[in-house]
Amino acid sequence: MREDLIGAEILDWYDAHARQLPWRVPPGSAERADPYRVWMSEIMLQQTTVAAVKAYFERFTTRWPTVGDLAAADDAAVMGEWAGLGYYARARNLLKCARVVVADHGGTFPRTEAELLTLPGIGPYTAAAIASIAFDEPAPVMDGNIERVMARLFAVEAPLPGSKPVLKDHATRLTPQSRPGDHAQALMDLGATICTPKSPACGICPVIEHCAARAAGIAAELPRKSPKKAKPVRFGYAYIARKPDGAILLETRPDRGLLGGMLAIPTSDWSDAPAEDPPVDTQWHDPDLEVRHTFTHFHLRMALRVASVAQDATPTRGAFVPLAQFSPKTLPTVFRKAFDLSRGVSVDGARRNG
Ligand code: SF4
């Protein structure tokens, strides 16, 4: 197999078919990719679709156009803008990383994969993506799309994740010294638009002539995957307390741990057998409704509790936020689900819609 030939064909295809994305510099442009924008997009794209990321990326880069602006931002403002995008450790690391870039690197991103790897929240994938796209280092960039293309192109039948080193070896040999960033983005696009997981469009693929899986008739079966362990289920309670003037009880989650630092509806702990832990002493009602949400490592099921409290009620934790200052959009999805569910419930816990 001629790696240089395949690399050239992939780049030719990219020159004609590159996706236009807000963080991307089109092929052939004299402009250089901005490492700040590459970094921001790659962090947002982890576990999240391009379609979902676009609006967040535009808002973040409009509000904080440089890494210095982001480093100087209020934590709460950044966490609020991130709300709804999920995987909130990314937002905390985004801030940490911006502040390290400013404090230790004079506000300029380091240029090599090895140096980038020392920054908070930057793992092997993101370091390689920034180094190759913004600084032309021929570092192979491995994400799910590129792993799939490599598994098929070279007919790697060993299952993931064990096959990762072999797939990376293939990607390394394929990465050209010239335009490695465009090569990486070309493979991302190929995986996202043609060599898709379920039904690859081999008929319009620029590397069909070189594809071993296609020749063997096993393209759609690759990459194989080792069976996943079932996710455990955790349980909990979510407490919606409101005052007669509409103020709602909210709290900020502890900095460390899941959804750390985010604005939240108060809840009990999340475990196999959680104890009730109401945030204000009042009569709580059980409308027999459950909030369901899936995190990376577990499914969560929380029983909803609702209460209407006196105007002068004092919570044991959190604070009542006036109706005019509360926007459900600033809540992470799991708490927004709880809030939305509570809207169909009257103050005595009865469901309004039967
Ligand atoms: Fe993927 Fe088909 Fe192209 Fe092979 S020929 S790389 S399976 S789209």
Side-chain angles (χ1 to χ4, degrees):
M1 190 174 280
R2 288 275 313 277
E3 273 84 2
D4 53 344
L5 188 64
I6 300 174
E9 286 173 9
I10 288 172
L11 276 175
D12 283 350
W13 173 80
Y14 183 68
D15 287 342
H17 299 284
R19 283 180 295 173
Q20 290 185 354
L21 299 171
W23 46 86
R24 201 177 254 187
V25 170
S29 159
E31 211 184 313
R32 295 274 338 153
D34 177 351
Y36 173 63
R37 293 169 71 84
V38 176
W39 165 71
M40 173 87 69
S41 66
E42 293 299 347
I43 300 287
M44 287 182 167
L45 285 164
Q46 289 164 14
Q47 326 266 358
T48 311
T49 62
V50 165
V53 163
K54 279 181 180 171
Y56 282 87
F57 179 83
E58 300 279 18
R59 275 209 306 278
F60 265 72
T61 50
T62 301
R63 189 162 176 187
W64 300 293
T66 68
V67 69
D69 297 324
L70 183 64
D74 267 358
D75 291 35
V78 172
M79 301 311 278
E81 285 287 10
W82 194 275
L85 200 53
Y87 302 97
Y88 294 92
R90 293 182 300 169
R92 291 194 298 279
N93 279 329
L94 199 73
L95 263 175
K96 259 194 230 162
C97 182
R99 289 170 183 162
V100 170
V101 169
V102 168
D104 297 350
H105 300 273
T108 305
F109 274 87
R111 300 177 68 88
T112 66
E113 183 184 15
E115 287 175 293
L116 287 160
L117 266 173
T118 66
L119 296 174
I122 295 194
Y125 166 76
T126 310
I130 301 171
S132 70
I133 297 170
F135 301 119
D136 266 342
E137 179 179 334
V141 181
M142 300 305 292
D143 70 354
N145 279 331
I146 297 177
E147 282 173 354
R148 184 169 60 255
V149 174
M150 291 304 124
R152 289 174 175 171
L153 202 47
F154 297 95
V156 176
E157 293 197 53
L160 284 166
S163 59
K164 278 176 185 272
V166 176
L167 299 176
K168 188 170 179 183
D169 284 348
H170 284 304
T172 304
R173 280 202 302 280
L174 212 55
T175 302
Q177 294 299 311
S178 153
R179 299 181 63 195
D182 281 351
H183 172 82
Q185 292 176 108
L187 287 177
M188 290 173 191
D189 285 11
L190 188 64
T193 62
I194 291 184
C195 195
T196 52
K198 291 210 173 93
S199 29
C202 302
I204 54 168
C205 177
V207 289
I208 184 171
E209 282 177 28
H210 310 281
C211 183
R214 163 77 180 174
I218 55 171
E221 293 165 32
L222 300 184
R224 301 196 205 287
K225 291 186 182 155
S226 300
K228 277 191 187 161
K229 278 194 225 148
K231 279 186 194 182
V233 181
R234 292 188 197 164
F235 298 89
Y237 299 93
Y239 301 97
I240 306 270
R242 302 198 82 141
K243 288 188 170 179
D245 66 3
I248 183 167
L249 181 56
L250 299 175
E251 66 179 358
T252 302
R253 292 184 59 89
D255 277 346
R256 291 190 163 273
L258 197 59
L259 304 168
M262 299 298 294
L263 195 62
I265 300 289
T267 72
S268 66
D269 69 333
W270 301 338
S271 61
D272 288 349
E276 289 259 14
D277 185 17
V280 58
D281 188 15
T282 188
Q283 186 181 2
W284 289 93
H285 299 283
D286 174 4
D288 196 20
L289 288 171
E290 193 174 67
V291 184
R292 292 187 175 210
H293 191 74
T294 295
F295 293 101
T296 316
H297 299 297
F298 65 96
H299 300 291
L300 177 64
R301 294 167 61 172
M302 286 191 292
L304 192 67
R305 299 285 185 258
V306 295
S308 176
V309 301
Q311 194 58 40
D312 60 355
T314 308
T316 52
R317 61 181 200 268
F320 280 93
V321 175
L323 192 56
Q325 289 169 25
F326 172 60
S327 162
K329 277 194 289 192
T330 57
L331 293 173
T333 307
V334 60
F335 302 121
R336 201 155 67 232
K337 284 182 184 174
F339 175 76
D340 288 346
L341 208 54
S342 77
R343 285 175 148 167
V345 176
S346 67
V347 288
D348 64 358
R351 289 193 222 170
R352 286 190 189 124
N353 301 321

